[in-house]
Amino acid sequence: MSKVHKTMSTKDFHDLPKFMQEISSHCRDHKKKYELYCSFHACPCCVTCIKDKHNKCQEIKMLSDVLMEVKSSASVQLFEKDLKDVKENLKEITKYLKSRLNTSKSQKTKAVEQIRYMREAVYDFLNKLEQEILDDLETKQSQLQSKMKSILQQLKSEANHISKLQIEFSKMTQYATELQMYVGLREIEKTTSQAAKYIEDLKSGGSLDEVNLELTISSELQSILKDVKSFGDIHINTSPFNLQVKAGRNDQAQYLVPTIHTIEQIKPSLLRQLTIPQYSKSISIHACSILPDGKYLFLNCSSGLSNMLLFSNDGMFMREVEEFSVISYDICFVSNDTVAVALGYQNQIALVDVEKNHIFDSMDLSHTCRSVASDGQMLVIGSDEKSSLVNLNDMSCTILEGVVADRVALFKGNIYSTIYGLNKVCCHKSTGEALWSFMHDDITRPQGLTLDKNGFVYVVSTNNNCVIAVSPDGKTCKTILSEADGMKSLYAIDINRETGIMIVSSKVGIIQGISDDSDDSDDNDDSKEESYQTVFVYTI
């Protein structure tokens, strides 16, 4: 009976998992040996089990056939791979969370530095204001002292003159003749009249008015104690989990990050709305870019000048990166700390180091530079005449005569563009060969465009204030954001393909009644209205 049995040591048996040790070859209900297998319920059965519980099940097999060479079957290898993948996923997630702990610690350190910097800045500013008012106080008090000392000197001189006259008058009364007395009295009368007139002039001229030094503390400064309730706010901003993990089989663990397969599944979710106040005379964002560290870079164009402004991911202005003496139309992230800037009719591309705040290189083109895009390997520069493709490895340039673009994007070697005047979105190979073009009633005066990691094209339609998603094959589209979502005077858009974060820039908005027609000009100095720029942050 035991000739087909395989033996094992008791030690090895006890090394088996507990749930396996408890597995019996006999049915617990009927105490009979398992001989059959129900595929529908995926469980072994004895003969009585078939009659009691599985009499309607169709797929009953011999258990010996099911167990034949089970250890060498593909299922064992698949489950072994599943366990390995799950373990690697857990390891990667653990590593990711540990890195987030370090990131959180560094974010705290940075926040502390910002708080202390702001405190020092406020302290220095108040010291400056204090010194200015102390200097002003010293100046005004010195002026008053000088004026009063001058009057005192004059009074002292007059008093000495009168004292001398008193002494002379006493001698006159004792020794002078009647004639001398008569003439002397006339002189004394004349002198006293002049002294009285001098005193009257002092009174009427305001020289003897009571002058007091008074201090009035600035109402804005006093309001700090009343209106400022806190040093700031600490926010916890949540971004989608973007770590790529290995997927299990259909009946095992699924992808931790959902993948968008169809255009109907694109539903942007608003994370936050950034209001960027007018930090200078006017602000009008022509282009925007999400940097790898999550910061936002905006290209501001107004009054014939352009400058790049760096903001933190919570919308706080950090610094001006670079200023240009011409109107620039577009920017894009290239690699490391490098950003490319399209300098319009100067027919030039500037390469800017964002961290060092300076232009370290430039490229001259044979056409206007209205737009620029990069994938880290190539740089495409678009215009309404033709486009150029620059290989960043050897800086060689190829002219693409058939590619015209108001805005461009690069994705997996293909060039995507919008043509403002034709209401068209196009896709070309890097050689310039056309792949497809797309037009739709919802796309009018298209400007900014970008792509997500799945190849869907996102287009800003300026005339009807909406964002359109176009399928990767250029055959269908869907309006994903509109005026109902607060979209207004749209211009620029960008997507971080790693995190799925999308930013959309709404043009200048108005506080206290400036009309929307103000556009980029705000030369009316008599106006007390304040303009601002709104940036919407979504996850897709």
Side-chain angles (χ1 to χ4, degrees), residues 246-306:
K246 295 183 178 181
R249 291 179 289 124
N250 289 337
D251 55 349
Q252 302 296 319
Q254 301 299 311
Y255 280 101
L256 297 181
V257 180
T259 302
I260 296 174
H261 297 291
T262 68
I263 199 169
E264 294 302 323
Q265 291 175 276
I266 299 178
K267 296 178 181 179
S269 176
L270 182 65
L271 287 180
R272 52 191 169 274
Q273 182 174 326
L274 310 181
T275 299
I276 304 175
Q278 160 182 346
Y279 90 105
S280 62
K281 194 167 185 181
S282 65
I283 182 167
S284 179
I285 295 177
H286 276 202
C288 57
S289 179
I290 307 176
L291 301 181
D293 59 3
K295 295 185 181 72
Y296 305 124
L297 191 65
F298 298 113
L299 179 65
N300 173 45
C301 303
S302 60
S303 304
L305 302 174
S306 304

Side-chain angles (χ1 to χ4, degrees), residues 6 25 68 76 125 205 222 238 257 260 263 279 380 411 413 455 493:
K6 294 181 179 179
S25 60
M68 188 180 299
V76 173
F125 182 67
Q222 289 177 329
T238 303
V257 180
I260 296 174
I263 199 169
Y279 90 105
V380 61
F411 183 71
I493 188 172

Side-chain angles (χ1 to χ4, degrees), residues 447-462:
Q447 280 285 5
L449 85 159
T450 185
L451 288 91
D452 65 16
K453 65 179 181 180
N454 299 302
F456 288 95
V457 186
Y458 296 74
V459 182
V460 168
S461 181
T462 58

Side-chain angles (χ1 to χ4, degrees), residues 30-225:
H30 306 108
K31 310 303 179 186
K32 292 184 178 180
K33 186 177 180 180
Y34 289 131
E35 296 179 355
L36 303 170
Y37 182 82
C38 177
S39 300
F40 181 78
H41 292 95
C43 66
C45 312
C46 68
V47 176
T48 308
C49 287
I50 297 298
K51 296 178 182 177
D52 290 349
K53 302 177 182 178
H54 303 274
N55 57 333
K56 294 184 180 180
C57 297
Q58 302 296 321
E59 298 185 17
I60 302 296
K61 300 179 180 179
M62 293 298 297
L63 183 61
S64 58
D65 295 338
V66 174
L67 299 181
M68 188 180 299
E69 298 180 351
V70 65
K71 289 189 177 182
S72 61
S73 68
S75 296
V76 173
Q77 297 176 7
L78 288 174
F79 278 104
E80 185 178 10
K81 181 179 181 300
D82 288 345
L83 289 171
K84 182 180 178 181
D85 289 346
V86 170
K87 184 177 179 180
E88 289 183 5
N89 287 342
L90 293 173
K91 184 179 178 181
E92 287 298 317
I93 293 173
T94 301
K95 181 180 177 182
Y96 167 78
L97 289 176
K98 286 182 178 179
S99 71
R100 291 305 305 163
L101 284 173
N102 292 331
T103 301
S104 176
K105 185 177 179 180
S106 65
Q107 287 171 345
K108 177 189 174 184
T109 302
K110 185 176 180 181
V112 169
E113 290 174 355
Q114 288 178 328
I115 291 169
R116 289 176 178 168
Y117 171 80
M118 181 56 68
R119 175 186 169 85
E120 290 297 323
V122 171
Y123 183 77
D124 292 343
F125 182 67
L126 289 176
N127 277 347
K128 178 185 175 184
L129 294 181
E130 180 189 26
Q131 190 59 50
E132 288 176 354
I133 197 169
L134 287 175
D135 292 343
D136 189 34
L137 177 63
E138 182 66 27
T139 300
K140 286 184 170 58
Q141 198 266 343
S142 297
Q143 291 172 350
L144 287 176
Q145 276 194 333
S146 177
K147 185 177 180 180
M148 286 188 286
K149 284 179 179 180
S150 176
I151 295 172
L152 285 172
Q153 190 66 32
Q154 294 174 16
L155 289 172
K156 183 178 179 181
S157 176
E158 287 292 330
N160 289 338
H161 187 205
I162 296 299
S163 296
K164 182 178 179 182
L165 195 60
Q166 282 179 320
I167 295 171
E168 290 176 349
F169 180 78
S170 176
K171 291 180 180 181
M172 284 170 55
T173 56
Q174 294 181 24
Y175 308 116
T177 65
E178 281 77 0
L179 179 60
Q180 289 174 332
M181 190 70 177
Y182 177 79
V183 175
L185 288 174
R186 299 289 294 176
E187 287 298 322
I188 291 173
E189 181 184 10
K190 182 180 178 180
T191 302
T192 55
S193 296
Q194 289 176 347
K197 185 178 182 305
Y198 171 71
I199 294 173
E200 189 62 32
D201 288 343
L202 285 178
K203 290 172 61 180
S204 61
S207 297
L208 299 181
D209 291 347
E210 184 176 324
V211 180
N212 299 307
L213 282 173
E214 295 181 354
L215 171 65
T216 302
I217 300 295
S218 165
S219 59
E220 287 86 356
L221 192 60
Q222 289 177 329
S223 69
I224 293 177
L225 300 175

